[in-house]
Amino acid sequence: MATQEEIEKARELVKSASRVTALTGAGISVDSGIPDFRSEGGLWERYDSHEYATYESFLKDPSKFWTMGQELAEVLLKAKPNEAHLQLAELEKQGRLQAVITQNIDNLHQVAGNTRVVELHGNYLRAYCMNCGTEYIGEEIHRRVVAGEIPPRCEKCEGILKSEAVLFGEPMPQGPMAEAIRLCKETDLMLVIGTSLTIYPAAFLPQLAKNSGAKVILVNLEGTNRTGVADIVLKGRATELVPRITRF
Ligand code: ZN
């Protein structure tokens, strides 16, 4: 677990930074009741991702994805932002945080109050019609799914709806990735929270920030084996550590 000395060092870095960027992954939402999909007991242990969550399998049979989506929706609709999310929103209000880049699809940064959220993997609470493109925003689709409408269909044309969450094998949205790259080049401190830096692009963005002169702080329960990128690695829960290093 993080030592007092490491926490103090991280606080000093946060204090002297003026353009903080956060990069968040599954670990920040665990304390909101959303288990890491990759963890033990996570979604991918119970649903074979090849069968339920690839773009190809969705095109073949969307009802599989939405069957899994029933369970996912129940978890996500219950989740509330935790102390770590709320503290990042507070940093934005203070004018010190320029943006949150997230791999999460759970919408919790927006609920917490952050207005500039770059979603690398989309957002589960948005969906669109694959036939006519009509967008569906918010919880209504998921309430219909939880109630048993599988797959959900467009109210205008009866087309199949697809969640905006990016599936395996589906290209990542290019706009958010370009935005994330730009932010990494402009930031002077990157707070990496709840991701182990092993999965692309989480592995690549902090390195980019560092190459552009930024400091990098990593907050993660498991630490990381890629310590080379981070100036400070704080092992522990995001809900506990994020307020401790960012609240003055
Ligand atoms: Zn439609």
Side-chain angles (χ1 to χ4, degrees), residues 129-134 136 154-159 161:
C129 171
M130 294 194 76
N131 183 45
C132 75
T134 298
Y136 291 83
C154 179
E155 283 162 358
K156 289 187 183 156
C157 77
E158 289 287 305
L161 301 189

Side-chain angles (χ1 to χ4, degrees), residues 128-181:
Y128 62 93
C129 171
M130 294 194 76
N131 183 45
C132 75
T134 298
E135 291 190 4
Y136 291 83
I137 294 168
E139 301 177 358
E140 190 226 321
I141 292 303
H142 301 289
R143 298 206 186 284
R144 280 164 49 189
V145 169
V146 170
E149 188 189 331
I150 291 178
R153 289 182 180 271
C154 179
E155 283 162 358
K156 289 187 183 156
C157 77
E158 289 287 305
I160 301 280
L161 301 189
K162 184 189 170 294
S163 160
E164 261 190 32
V166 176
L167 297 174
F168 292 106
E170 183 177 5
M172 290 212 309
Q174 287 187 2
M177 194 59 199
E179 171 87 349
I181 288 171

